[in-house]
Amino acid sequence: MAPSSSPAFVPLQPLALVLASTSAYRRELLARLRLPFDVVSPDVDESPWPGESPAALSERLALAKARAVSAQRPHAVVIGSDQVAELDGVPMGKPGDHANAVAQLRAMRGRAVVFHTAVAVLRHDTAFEAVRRVPVTVRFRALSDVEIETYLRLEQPYDCAGSAKCETLGITLLDAIESDDPTALIGLPLIVTSALLRQAGLDTLAVHAGHGGAA
């Protein structure tokens, strides 16, 4: 009688992961976790509500983006995120063009600005839904008009809330960054995101080890 052979090892298939954002910055950050994921653009009105605080706006939009895409992908784990900059209680969005970026940086020079970065994780099939916000305090130097103009011409950060990319040349505009998560300012707080993914049943390291986060 021939000895029975051991069953072939079949690695577990991770849960489908979807990023509800077309932001290149968030895509790059999520890719650091080395998990396969799809990108779906959420159809969400990002206008603030009357009297809504920047902190509340960031959380509401992160959740709205995740919910919009989760409705299309009910069997996936969906990540939504949003960032709103706050100066004197007023939200500051993406400048969109050079003139607005100049105005933003002039308003922020020598000041402390809080960037509220919220992340929501949804898993429709288990009714898991959670949202967390990571505030980052950014202290800008007393920038001259020449410094502002030089930076903007070199970097053109018109798609960034607050008109500065801290991960590149924008770091030269700052005196300090104060945060519990170094990736939050770029657009997706990976410490919090990883924690929420684990709660949703998608453990990054367990997936890489071949024994966790299976569908």
Side-chain angles (χ1 to χ4, degrees), residues 154-195:
L154 289 170
E155 192 113 282
Q156 301 182 17
Y158 307 135
D159 60 344
C160 297
S163 305
K165 294 182 182 180
C166 70
E167 66 273 28
T168 50
L169 191 60
I171 201 71
T172 65
L173 308 180
L174 312 179
D175 275 333
I177 297 174
E178 302 166 6
S179 175
D180 293 331
D181 190 327
T183 56
L185 188 56
I186 304 174
L188 184 65
L190 288 182
I191 294 175
V192 169
T193 300
S194 297

